[in-house]
C-alpha cells in the first residue's frame, strides 16, 4: 500500500547516526544521503528522514507511530537496545509479547531523537 514513509528531523547528521544503528539491527543498510534528506531503501519500501523543506522546525506526530518489521523477538530486542544506546527513549511497556484479537506480537517502542514514536514488531505464531 505504501511506497515510502518520511519523517522530519532538526539534525540530519544525528538522525542518520541514530537510524543507521537502529535499522542496522534489522539488516537495513546505512542511509543514502540526498541533500537535506536520508533514505533507507529495501525490497519492501523506503524510510526517509528529512529536514523540513519549508525551513520550519520538525515536529513529531501526536498519535502517530511508525512500525518496523522484525524477523524475531531477538531482533526486536536488539533494535530496542541499539535505539536506547543511540539516545532514543524507551516508552510504554518494556519489549515483550502483546496479545489481542487472535494475534500474538512481540513489540518494542521508542521515541527517536526528534520525538517520533517508532516501534519494532515481530508477528508470532498464535
Amino acid at each position: 500500500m505504501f511506497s515510502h514513509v518520511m519523517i522530519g528531523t532538526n539534525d540530519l547528521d544525528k538522525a542518520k547516526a541514530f537510524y543507521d544503528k537502529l535499522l542496522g539491527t534489522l539488516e537495513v543498510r546505512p542511509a543514502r544521503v540526498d541533500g537535506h534528506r536520508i533514505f533507507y531503501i529495501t525490497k519492501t519500501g523506503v524510510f526517509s528522514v528529512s529536514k523540513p523543506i519549508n525551513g520550519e522546525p520538525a515536529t513529531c506526530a501526536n498519535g502517530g507511530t511508525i512500525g518496523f518489521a522484525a524477523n524475531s523477538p531477538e531482533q526486536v530486542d536488539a533494535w530496542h537496545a541499539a535505539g536506547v544506546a543511540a539516545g532514543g527513549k524507551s516508552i510504554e511497556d518494556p519489549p515483550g509479547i502483546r496479545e489481542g484479537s487472535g494475534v500474538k506480537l512481540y513489540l518494542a517502542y521508542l521515541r527517536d531523537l526528534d520525538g517520533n514514536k517508532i516501534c519494532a514488531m515481530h508477528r508470532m505464531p498464535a
Side-chain angles (χ1 to χ4, degrees):
M1 177 187 297
F2 303 107
S3 64
H4 68 283
V5 172
M6 183 177 288
I7 61 172
T9 185
N10 293 303
D11 190 322
L12 197 61
D13 293 332
K14 285 185 180 179
K16 182 177 183 325
F18 177 82
Y19 279 105
D20 280 358
K21 289 177 187 171
L22 188 71
L23 297 179
T25 66
L26 303 178
E27 302 171 12
V28 176
R29 291 185 303 226
R32 189 183 93 225
V33 178
D34 179 15
H36 64 280
R37 300 174 294 193
I38 56 176
F39 293 94
Y40 297 89
I41 301 170
T42 72
K43 290 185 234 175
T44 57
V46 176
F47 176 69
S48 180
V49 183
S50 176
K51 292 195 71 138
I53 294 171
N54 66 4
E56 296 293 322
T59 59
C60 58
N62 184 17
T65 302
I66 296 170
F68 296 98
N71 294 323
S72 67
E74 295 79 17
Q75 200 174 46
V76 172
D77 289 339
W79 177 92
H80 187 264
V84 170
K89 294 183 182 174
S90 183
I91 58 172
E92 300 193 12
D93 293 331
I97 296 172
R98 314 293 195 280
E99 294 186 67
S101 301
V103 297
K104 189 174 181 181
L105 307 172
Y106 193 92
L107 300 169
Y109 289 92
L110 294 170
R111 291 265 179 206
D112 74 3
L113 304 178
D114 290 288
N116 295 294
K117 183 178 177 184
I118 54 180
C119 171
M121 180 187 75
H122 172 67
R123 293 185 188 277
M124 302 180 73

